[in-house]
Amino acid sequence: MGPTNVIHKFSAEAGAKCQLESELRTVLQQRIMVLDGGMGTMVQQHKLEEEDFRGDELKDHPLPLKGNNDLLSITQPDIIYQIHKEYLNAGADIIETNTFSSTSIAQADYGLEHMAYRLNRKSAELARRAVDDFTKQTGSKRYVAGAVGPTNKTLSVSPSVERPDFRNVTFDGLVEAYTEQVRGLLDGGADIILVETVFDTANAKAALFAIDLLFEKSYERKPIFISGTIVDRSGRTLSGQTGEAFVVSLSHAKPLCIGLNCALGATEMRPFIEAIGKSTTAFIICYPNAGLPNTFGGYDETPEVTASSLKDFAQDGLVNIVGGCCGTTPGHIRAISEAVRHCKPRTPAADIHQENLLLAGLEPFRIGPYTNFVNIGERCNVAGSRKFAKLIMAGNYEEALSIAKTQVEMGAQVLDINMDEGMLEGPTAMARFCNYIASEPDIARVPLCIDSSNFAVIEAGLKCCQGKCIVNSISLKEGEEEFLLRAATVQRYGAAVVVMAFDEEGQATDSDRKVEICSRAYKLLVSKVGFDPNDIIFDPNILTIGTGMEEHNEYAVNFIKATKLIKETLPRARVSGGLSNLSFSFRGMEAIREAMHGAFLYHAIKDGMDMGIVNAGNLPVYDDIDKELLLLCENLIWNRDPEATEKLLAYTQTYVKGGKKVVQTDEWRLTSVEERLEYALIKGIEKYVVEDVEECRSQVNRYTRPLHIIEGPLMNGMKVVGDLFGAGKMFLPQVIKSARVMKKAVGHLIPFMEKERQELMASSGSTEEIDPYQGTIVLATVKGDVHDIGKNIVGVVLGCNNFRVIDLGVMVPCDKILREAVTKKADIIGLSGLITPSLDEMIYVAKEMERLGMTTPLLIGGATTSKTHTAVKIAPRYSCPAIHVLDASRSVVVCSQLLDETMKEEYFDDLKEEYEDVRQDHYDSLKERRYLSLSQARDKALRIDWSSLPKPVCPQFLGTRVFEWYDLNSLVDFIDWKPFFDVWQLRGKYPNRGYPKIFNDKTVGSEARRVFDEAQQLLNQMIDRSSLKGRALVGFWRAQSDGDDINVYQDDVTVHRDTKPIAKFHGLRQQVEKDSSSSEPFLCVSDFVAPVDSGVADYIGVFAVSVFGAEELSQQFQAQGDDYNSIMVKALADRLAEAFAEELHARVRKELWGYCADEALQATDLHRIRYQGIRPAAGYPSQPDHTEKTTMWSLADIQDKIGIGLTESLAMMPAASVSGLYFSNPQASYFAVGKITKEQVVDYATRKAMSVEEVERWLSPILGYDSAA
């Protein structure tokens, strides 16, 4: 379908308001109207089953229909009618049709796309009947809003991570589906068309496109309401737009009402409703959910709370229509209606941004009378950039995207996209590149200028853009009819338009002709199409000067004159132009061209030029242009000298060779010494730090003691570093680099501090030592845990910030930590841990500190820790500060605050208040959690028809096989690098989160590349020198499940129920209640093994892999003072161990077990678990119990055979080790057991012959109850 270029009349009255809209406008000016509440909420109360949804008509339909609420308008019309009546009786002025998902696109999931028109018509007729009956009964008029939902597809986001440009729906497809839906709604009697829950503005634009076509061709116009949905507190839609950008992008539809619904509760929605109200002249509609959803997707907010929030909105003049969305009921609507009954409605502004051209990408962009010149980036143009053209022609769109990104970074406020090339399929290329742009938020935030001389290419671009674009361009060269046709189409897409100064006679070159053509076009656009003058941009043609042809000499002058006249005579219109044309005679001489552009713009802007297509970032400042060159350029531009071209050529031959010298400056050295120190810390520049510290020290009136320099400018600089790191604007290697600058500065001050200390001691006669450090911190990885990468980073950063760091190492028992803290007079104790048993040890340490009456602040850190766990489990056990520290950069600020006598009490008070809130939220969530009994969960276990499946494959051997000195080179290709970057806290933002896309990230990309390259070098060196060695064990045994357990048998025996197993693995089963509409089983790992009574012989595997040598090599680097490589070694060893597990699992599937002998997957597929079978590890979500490792170690004799040991807390040694079980069943999948009840804990303890208390200790992270209660 190509729903474009359709127009029957050219009239400003095309969008004239219908009688019904005038009627509604009058009501809305008098009072706040009320919309109904949630349809789905009410349907759920009827607890309908599959047969209810089917009815007689669809009883044999091949697909399940339960949950298709829209279908009930046909199969259960009485229920839907009654719901409508309940809302009307509750006080609703407007009821919505039951058609949220009634497009053919959404109904395709049920195989009912052929019923789309009928669904909409029947639903509208039901609502119409309910309204008419109510009006007859009461005499009060009510209205029907035809609900048009967003569909379950999106034009702005790719469903494929690998293909950012892919879309599973087209604009034309959406227009076709929406046309069918709206036709049904209008035929069924809808008074209003409500385009609601807009999560992607592009989808809404397609709906509005369809609606406008129907109104123009077939139907009387009806009022349009639009309601978006903000997905979280960021204030953006799912497709990334801000609320204001959303309003700007849809303003062309001239909705009677616009606002928000769904997603958030009223309280959270308020700032966004306010922002939308300030951005529109329409009335405001707001119908929030009944608060935020609870854990199970339900809504708990009472009618009184919702009504109170909306009453506040009303009293503050924010709304005109209120109602409810998800979770709201007639009770809510009744309360809302009563609450706003006597509130005055919002008075919309008569005009907003009256003098502004409004554009939008993901963010709004206003061009007003006082806006500076707008740069439209020119380099994404196949005709203007050889590099861009080459990349597009080669199909290298991702790299071409980097050109767009550079343009935005260099200052482009709008991005011009042009795909006009004879060998290129223009519409396809335009659509593909625009889709790529949509995947890159840093680019998509700015509006696009869709640039082509082919209108089909322009339309292809407009169909891919959710924001408000500029179309460049249309003109009168093909006559008025074609001009009006294209202008109306552009308006229907909601774009602004550039009009070139062409007409039927050709291009205008003199100023009078330029103004004449632009004036004619302006009148046609405003009077016949109804264009907002703000959306009209004229390009009076910047033509080439300096060609040597006399008739070209006035071209620049004529453009500037025409610009001035256009701005004076055509109100609110803008002027633009393509700057590169001006200097085309001097191509290849960039310095000359840029000087010409700079001089031309200086004068053109003064006379009204608003914007131009320029190479953003390459425009010189007018005053910086060489004076001789400037004079020559201006003589040429103003045609003051008949020999201007020759003189400029002569200058070029004498002074210019096309290049520019870039002078490196140290301008930052001209600032104050405090600013210089801050800059040096942020940038990691050591060169001048001693010199600057000395300058501070010389200012004795300001810094009376050396310590004041540390506590003042140096610590201020580190606070900025911490803030930048927290905001994602710095990354961990840079933090360490900053810390080393700090260390050098502090190192220079220490002798002076020592001298001061001795002088103080001598003058006071005291022999007591004065500590030169800011504080003493004892760090330790708690007992049972051998992971210390994060702790080491914290130690380095703190040490460089003048803290004495006493690192006790790993596996440190509580008594040693506390003894050393007392002996060393520690100011702070820091605990680190990675595995979950470490959390219990941290709790124990806190309890012991309380028992001993200690007051030392306790810091908690490590990958397994969290603020919630610290607040709920640790802080209540210790009456002094127990603080979760998110990352290394924050540790400096936290420690400084804890030791600052003037701040620490206030800091601790704030912390206690914050943690109390966290605890309360946690316990509130526990009250809402529901569980199945263990027997119910087992009844809903995964049911596999073992008799109908192929028999499980017998492994190539039974028993164990050891792999000594594994070839580590074979593992490199299996490395998943994302966790490596996580170690260094280098986190790219979408879409550059993973490897290798992280290298493209604006913030961390270059640093990630540097760290990665250094890692490669060290990795190759370690492998080549055999510094690291890999060992592995694989074992296979006969196995059968018995309930939630897995029995393991000796050799390939025939198993009966009474056959005695040689080992038993115990599983835990999911118990947390799932969504009522879900048919998902409640899983346990035993479900993936054939039951003992099935008669099907099955098998299980055990594996353990380890990389030896990392700890020793790390210690060598540590001894050399090389903290960076000490950490790097461990990070790489961890990655190798995980790669080892991945590679060995692939061998198991293809060779050693051989159940997938033909598998051919890439490493990326392996990381995404696209293979058959799983390898869950004990202590992880599918089996959260670490004690299952003891069974593995005993069964396979792992410690004796390959040397991997287990600590008290069952952490593996070496730390770079991975172990787990192998399951081969095609239905085996990873899952999280989640929280469990005491019933299962007791059952599990009995099965494992352990005490309940011991099981609770090991399973504490997943207990769904308080074991201490």
Side-chain angles (χ1 to χ4, degrees):
M1 177 186 179
T4 54
N5 294 346
V6 181
I7 188 162
H8 293 262
K9 56 185 177 181
F10 307 109
S11 171
E13 282 73 49
K17 305 300 181 285
C18 63
Q19 182 178 348
L20 184 56
E21 180 159 327
S22 299
E23 179 182 314
L24 281 169
R25 187 177 293 277
T26 300
V27 176
L28 289 167
Q29 288 167 343
Q30 295 169 351
R31 65 181 179 89
I32 294 175
M33 297 184 76
V34 178
L35 186 70
D36 63 2
M39 174 62 74
T41 308
M42 296 301 292
V43 167
Q44 287 170 16
Q45 294 182 7
H46 288 268
K47 300 189 182 303
L48 302 176
E49 297 299 332
E50 179 69 29
E51 56 269 24
D52 300 312
F53 281 84
R54 289 176 176 272
D56 292 333
E57 181 178 345
L58 296 168
K59 62 183 180 182
D60 297 324
H61 190 71
L63 296 179
L65 298 177
K66 185 178 179 181
N68 186 359
N69 290 348
D70 295 22
L71 181 59
L72 298 173
S73 295
I74 292 175
T75 60
Q76 301 291 336
D78 292 345
I79 290 176
I80 302 303
Y81 175 84
Q82 188 56 41
I83 292 171
H84 286 322
K85 287 299 293 289
E86 287 180 46
Y87 277 123
L88 288 164
N89 290 330
D93 295 294
I94 304 167
I95 60 169
E96 292 186 57
T97 56
N98 180 34
T99 53
F100 184 81
S101 300
S102 292
T103 56
S104 57
I105 291 171
Q107 286 298 313
D109 287 349
Y110 299 99
L112 297 179
E113 53 268 53
H114 61 285
M115 294 181 69
Y117 172 81
R118 184 177 163 206
L119 281 171
N120 286 281
R121 180 162 185 163
K122 288 292 184 184
S123 293
E125 288 172 349
L126 267 178
R128 180 80 268 156
R129 180 159 62 88
V131 161
D132 291 347
D133 289 350
F134 181 86
T135 300
K136 287 177 186 176
Q137 292 164 7
T138 65
S140 299
K141 184 165 185 179
R142 296 294 182 260
Y143 302 90
V144 174
V148 177
T151 80
N152 51 1
K153 299 185 187 297
T154 167
L155 276 173
S156 297
V157 181
S158 171
S160 168
V161 175
E162 294 80 13
R163 296 173 57 196
D165 61 316
F166 173 70
R167 300 292 185 271
N168 58 5
V169 70
T170 65
F171 186 93
D172 290 344
L174 280 168
V175 170
E176 185 173 7
Y178 282 130
T179 299
E180 182 180 33
Q181 178 174 33
V182 175
R183 211 164 40 81
L185 292 170
L186 293 172
D187 289 346
D191 300 308
I192 299 158
I193 300 298
L194 169 57
V195 180
E196 67 170 346
T197 321
V198 177
F199 61 77
D200 179 357
T201 310
N203 285 35
K205 287 171 80 173
L208 294 168
F209 195 103
I211 293 165
D212 191 57
L213 280 175
L214 283 170
F215 286 164
E216 186 175 290
K217 293 190 293 183
S218 313
Y219 291 86
E220 178 188 351
R221 288 188 177 270
K222 301 283 187 181
I224 294 173
F225 291 3
I226 301 172
S227 182
T229 187
I230 300 296
V231 294
D232 55 34
R233 290 181 177 88
S234 70
R236 292 178 182 262
T237 63
L238 184 67
S239 57
Q241 273 199 320
T242 66
E244 188 178 351
F246 163 77
V247 171
V248 169
S249 303
L250 301 178
S251 59
H252 63 285
K254 297 182 174 59
L256 179 62
C257 290
I258 193 165
L260 296 174
N261 73 290
C262 201
L264 303 174
T267 304
E268 294 78 17
M269 196 180 280
R270 180 179 179 119
F272 313 126
I273 278 288
E274 287 188 90
I276 285 176
K278 293 173 183 176
S279 307
T280 182
T281 57
F283 294 98
I284 294 297
I285 184 170
C286 175
Y287 50 116
N289 292 341
L292 295 173
N294 60 33
T295 308
F296 301 99
Y299 296 86
D300 305 319
E301 191 170 275
T302 64
E304 293 72 25
V305 173
T306 305
S308 175
S309 296
L310 289 175
K311 184 176 182 179
D312 289 343
F313 286 22
Q315 289 177 330
D316 292 340
L318 301 181
V319 291
N320 301 100
I321 300 177
V322 291
C325 199
C326 303
T328 59
T329 64
H332 288 81
I333 298 307
R334 183 172 289 104
I336 291 168
S337 178
E338 288 297 324
V340 303
R341 184 181 305 279
H342 302 297
C343 297
K344 291 183 178 180
R346 167 183 172 271
T347 303
D351 204 345
I352 292 178
H353 309 309
Q354 185 172 357
E355 301 295 329
N356 292 301
L357 162 57
L358 301 177
L359 303 172
L362 295 182
E363 298 167 7
F365 181 50
R366 292 189 206 90
I367 303 173
Y370 304 106
T371 305
N372 289 333
F373 180 77
V374 175
N375 295 305
I376 303 177
E378 70 171 357
R379 306 312 291 170
C380 295
N381 184 330
V382 293
S385 167
R386 289 182 184 175
K387 181 179 179 182
F388 184 77
K390 186 176 180 181
L391 291 169
I392 293 296
M393 295 298 289
N396 194 348
Y397 282 76
E398 292 206 45
E399 192 171 339
L401 197 63
S402 67
I403 295 176
K405 193 170 185 180
T406 300
Q407 287 281 283
V408 175
E409 289 168 352
M410 294 294 284
Q413 295 142 296
V414 179
L415 200 60
D416 185 79
I417 314 294
N418 183 294
M419 295 292 175
D420 288 357
E421 213 287 335
M423 298 300 293
L424 199 60
E425 181 58 39
T428 303
M430 178 64 81
R432 189 177 178 193
F433 192 66
C434 288
N435 284 342
Y436 265 104
I437 285 174
S439 73
E440 176 52 76
D442 287 341
I443 305 172
R445 67 180 180 82
V446 304
L448 300 185
C449 178
I450 307 299
D451 183 357
S452 181
S453 56
N454 181 342
F455 200 71
V457 176
I458 287 173
E459 283 204 84
L462 290 173
K463 290 172 183 178
C464 299
C465 298
Q466 64 172 323
K468 181 177 178 181
C469 304
I470 298 172
V471 163
N472 187 19
S473 59
I474 62 174
S475 75
L476 283 160
K477 64 182 179 182
E478 295 178 49
E480 282 191 12
E481 185 176 354
E482 186 67 19
F483 175 76
L484 291 168
L485 179 65
R486 292 182 175 179
T489 303
V490 169
Q491 186 184 47
R492 186 169 285 127
Y493 283 108
V497 69
V498 174
V499 180
M500 299 291 294
F502 292 9
D503 66 3
E504 297 89 340
E505 297 177 18
Q507 179 172 257
T509 57
D510 65 76
S511 54
D512 289 342
R513 278 270 295 142
K514 291 175 190 283
V515 174
E516 177 194 333
I517 293 172
C518 292
S519 298
R520 177 185 169 202
Y522 181 90
K523 289 173 184 175
L524 289 170
L525 290 171
V526 173
S527 63
K528 291 200 172 183
V529 184
F531 242 91
D532 181 346
N534 282 307
D535 288 341
I536 302 170
I537 304 163
F538 290 110
D539 183 343
N541 308 329
I542 299 178
L543 303 173
T544 305
I545 58 174
T547 63
M549 299 174 65
E550 188 176 344
E551 59 266 35
H552 297 171
N553 292 350
E554 288 284 311
Y555 279 174
V557 176
N558 290 341
F559 179 92
I560 294 171
K561 283 182 179 178
T563 296
K564 190 171 188 298
L565 287 167
I566 287 168
K567 295 304 291 286
E568 289 173 350
T569 59
L570 305 178
R572 302 185 192 175
R574 272 36 186 215
V575 174
S576 180
L579 197 56
S580 61
N581 287 345
L582 180 79
S583 61
F584 193 69
S585 295
F586 297 89
R587 59 190 182 278
M589 303 173 190
E590 293 308 309
I592 298 297
R593 297 191 71 179
E594 288 168 16
M596 289 177 65
H597 297 164
F600 175 81
L601 282 179
Y602 175 77
H603 297 290
I605 290 169
K606 286 201 296 184
D607 277 337
M609 186 177 178
D610 300 281
M611 63 191 76
I613 300 175
V614 299
N615 186 356
N618 277 22
L619 290 174
V621 176
Y622 180 78
D623 289 339
D624 291 344
I625 301 171
D626 175 80
K627 299 308 175 189
E628 182 182 354
L629 177 57
L630 179 61
L631 178 63
L632 291 169
C633 289
E634 293 198 321
N635 285 343
L636 183 62
I637 289 165
W638 291 112
N639 194 22
R640 292 173 181 155
D641 182 350
E643 297 180 358
T645 301
E646 287 72 21
K647 289 179 179 178
L648 192 51
L649 284 170
Y651 178 91
T652 300
Q653 292 161 3
T654 305
Y655 297 103
V656 179
K657 294 183 179 177
K660 296 185 292 185
K661 284 188 178 179
V662 178
V663 180
Q664 297 286 346
T665 64
D666 281 337
E667 289 182 9
W668 66 280
R669 299 297 304 155
L670 303 177
T671 59
S672 70
V673 67
E674 289 82 7
E675 290 173 311
R676 298 201 300 270
L677 283 171
E678 179 180 310
Y679 186 91
L681 284 164
I682 293 169
K683 299 297 182 184
I685 301 170
E686 294 184 33
K687 183 176 179 181
Y688 304 102
V689 71
V690 170
E691 174 187 326
D692 290 341
V693 167
E694 271 299 293
E695 184 175 334
C696 282
R697 211 168 62 79
S698 69
Q699 299 176 11
V700 290
N701 292 332
R702 189 165 193 175
Y703 301 107
T704 56
R705 298 180 59 199
L707 183 60
H708 293 163
I709 301 170
I710 295 173
E711 293 175 340
L714 291 175
M715 189 50 67
N716 288 340
M718 284 307 294
K719 284 179 182 176
V720 174
V721 169
D723 290 342
L724 291 172
F725 182 75
K729 296 176 181 178
M730 283 185 73
F731 6 95
L732 189 59
Q734 287 181 316
V735 172
I736 292 176
K737 199 174 178 184
S738 298
R740 287 181 177 142
V741 176
M742 183 77 165
K743 186 174 186 177
K744 186 170 183 177
V746 172
H748 178 72
L749 288 170
I750 282 176
F752 301 104
M753 295 167 69
E754 177 64 19
K755 181 182 177 184
E756 179 190 58
R757 183 179 67 86
Q758 291 173 354
E759 290 172 351
L760 283 170
M761 289 173 65
S763 64
S764 65
S766 171
T767 57
E768 185 180 346
E769 289 287 323
I770 298 173
D771 194 343
Y773 289 97
Q774 186 175 345
T776 298
I777 299 175
V778 168
L779 296 180
T781 301
V782 295
K783 185 178 76 170
D785 201 328
V786 295
H787 298 85
D788 65 351
I789 295 173
K791 172 178 65 66
N792 292 351
I793 292 170
V794 171
V796 170
V797 173
L798 288 172
C800 291
N801 282 271
N802 198 40
F803 289 92
R804 178 195 286 117
V805 177
I806 300 170
D807 189 342
L808 302 181
V810 301
M811 297 181 60
V812 187
C814 174
D815 62 335
K816 181 178 179 181
I817 295 171
L818 302 187
R819 186 173 61 250
E820 289 294 314
V822 172
T823 303
K824 304 295 185 183
K825 298 181 179 178
D827 298 294
I828 295 171
I829 297 171
L831 304 181
S832 177
L834 183 130
I835 62 174
T836 49
S838 302
L839 299 176
D840 288 337
E841 185 65 18
M842 291 173 179
I843 295 170
Y844 177 66
V845 172
K847 286 180 177 177
E848 282 297 286
M849 291 176 73
E850 183 71 14
R851 185 181 67 81
L852 295 171
M854 297 181 70
T855 59
T856 311
L858 180 63
L859 301 189
I860 303 297
T864 195
T865 65
S866 68
K867 181 188 288 186
T868 300
H869 182 271
T870 303
V872 174
K873 298 285 190 178
I874 300 176
R877 269 74 175 182
Y878 187 43
S879 55
C880 292
I883 307 154
H884 180 252
V885 181
L886 184 64
D887 54 56
S889 72
R890 293 294 182 192
S891 63
V892 177
V893 177
V894 171
C895 291
S896 298
Q897 289 173 314
L898 287 170
L899 300 181
D900 188 329
E901 292 297 329
T902 63
M903 291 182 60
K904 66 179 184 181
E905 292 302 324
E906 183 180 350
Y907 175 63
F908 188 29
D909 287 343
D910 289 345
L911 189 76
K912 284 192 289 187
E913 188 176 324
E914 179 187 0
Y915 279 16
E916 182 57 42
D917 290 341
V918 172
R919 278 192 290 276
Q920 195 57 51
D921 290 345
H922 169 75
Y923 290 126
D924 287 347
S925 70
L926 282 183
K927 293 172 190 172
E928 298 167 0
R929 196 176 293 273
R930 297 180 183 177
Y931 301 89
L932 268 65
S933 69
L934 186 56
S935 61
Q936 288 174 324
R938 286 172 173 164
D939 287 343
K940 295 188 175 185
L942 176 67
R943 303 297 178 194
I944 296 175
D945 185 358
W946 293 95
S947 60
S948 66
L949 290 175
K951 288 184 178 180
V953 174
C954 178
Q956 299 302 303
F957 63 90
L958 295 179
T960 61
R961 181 175 295 180
V962 171
F963 298 87
E964 293 276 5
W965 315 132
Y966 212 85
D967 178 12
L968 298 183
N969 278 308
S970 67
L971 308 181
V972 174
D973 289 342
F974 289 83
I975 291 177
D976 180 1
W977 286 103
K978 183 187 177 299
F980 169 81
F981 294 113
D982 290 342
V983 166
W984 293 105
Q985 296 175 21
L986 293 166
R987 300 181 181 99
K989 293 182 180 178
Y990 178 85
N992 296 318
R993 287 178 184 152
Y995 167 83
K997 288 188 175 182
I998 191 173
F999 299 141
N1000 301 325
D1001 188 81
K1002 179 180 180 181
T1003 306
V1004 303
S1006 60
E1007 188 66 15
R1009 168 59 73 183
R1010 184 189 68 76
V1011 174
F1012 179 76
D1013 290 344
E1014 290 172 358
Q1016 295 299 300
Q1017 186 177 350
L1018 181 58
L1019 179 62
N1020 292 332
Q1021 178 183 310
M1022 291 190 296
I1023 293 175
D1024 292 344
R1025 295 179 182 177
S1026 299
S1027 303
L1028 303 179
K1029 294 180 169 57
R1031 283 179 168 183
L1033 174 147
V1034 174
F1036 302 110
W1037 288 269
R1038 279 278 282 108
Q1040 308 288 163
S1041 64
D1042 184 5
D1044 291 350
D1045 295 333
I1046 300 170
N1047 294 334
V1048 180
Y1049 302 95
Q1050 184 74 45
D1051 302 324
D1052 201 3
V1053 297
T1054 301
V1055 175
H1056 304 287
R1057 177 159 284 283
D1058 57 357
T1059 305
K1060 188 175 181 181
I1062 59 171
K1064 184 174 293 210
F1065 290 108
H1066 302 88
L1068 290 162
R1069 188 169 296 282
Q1070 294 174 319
Q1071 278 189 278
V1072 176
E1073 188 176 77
K1074 300 176 189 281
D1075 188 279
S1076 58
S1077 64
S1078 170
S1079 59
E1080 290 181 19
F1082 287 72
L1083 296 173
C1084 174
V1085 290
S1086 62
D1087 295 346
F1088 308 137
V1089 178
V1092 67
D1093 297 328
S1094 66
V1096 176
D1098 210 344
Y1099 304 86
I1100 197 169
V1102 170
F1103 77 94
V1105 302
S1106 187
V1107 175
F1108 291 79
E1111 184 62 38
E1112 295 78 5
L1113 191 56
S1114 177
Q1115 289 174 1
Q1116 290 175 25
F1117 281 119
Q1118 188 76 43
Q1120 297 165 12
D1122 190 345
D1123 303 312
Y1124 179 73
N1125 277 319
S1126 174
I1127 294 166
M1128 181 71 82
V1129 166
K1130 292 187 177 184
L1132 288 171
D1134 282 350
R1135 289 298 86 223
L1136 276 175
E1138 293 291 349
F1140 201 165
E1142 195 73 81
E1143 191 268 358
L1144 192 59
H1145 194 190
R1147 287 189 62 186
V1148 164
R1149 295 191 300 273
K1150 293 190 283 188
E1151 306 166 24
L1152 305 178
W1153 195 332
Y1155 61 82
C1156 279
D1158 297 330
E1159 177 183 291
L1161 299 174
Q1162 301 297 316
T1164 51
D1165 297 318
L1166 300 181
H1167 297 154
R1168 295 186 177 102
I1169 316 173
R1170 289 177 175 166
Y1171 46 77
Q1172 178 181 322
I1174 57 173
R1175 56 169 193 277
Y1180 284 80
S1182 296
Q1183 171 42 290
D1185 181 11
H1186 282 275
T1187 68
E1188 287 295 286
K1189 288 179 195 164
T1190 59
T1191 305
M1192 294 165 53
W1193 257 245
S1194 172
L1195 175 65
D1197 200 12
I1198 291 172
Q1199 181 153 0
D1200 287 344
K1201 289 185 176 178
I1202 59 172
I1204 304 177
L1206 294 175
T1207 70
E1208 247 181 49
S1209 295
L1210 301 180
M1212 291 174 285
M1213 297 178 62
S1217 302
V1218 182
S1219 64
L1221 301 177
Y1222 287 134
F1223 295 83
S1224 67
N1225 190 273
Q1227 294 189 49
S1229 62
Y1230 293 103
F1231 63 94
V1233 170
K1235 299 285 185 181
I1236 59 174
T1237 66
K1238 187 154 189 172
E1239 179 194 10
Q1240 182 163 193
V1241 170
V1242 171
D1243 177 86
Y1244 189 70
T1246 302
R1247 285 155 46 207
K1248 286 181 72 80
M1250 293 169 65
S1251 70
V1252 171
E1253 293 74 22
E1254 190 178 4
V1255 170
E1256 286 179 333
R1257 184 164 67 83
W1258 285 105
L1259 296 182
S1260 60
I1262 66 161
L1263 297 182
Y1265 60 96
D1266 186 352
S1267 59

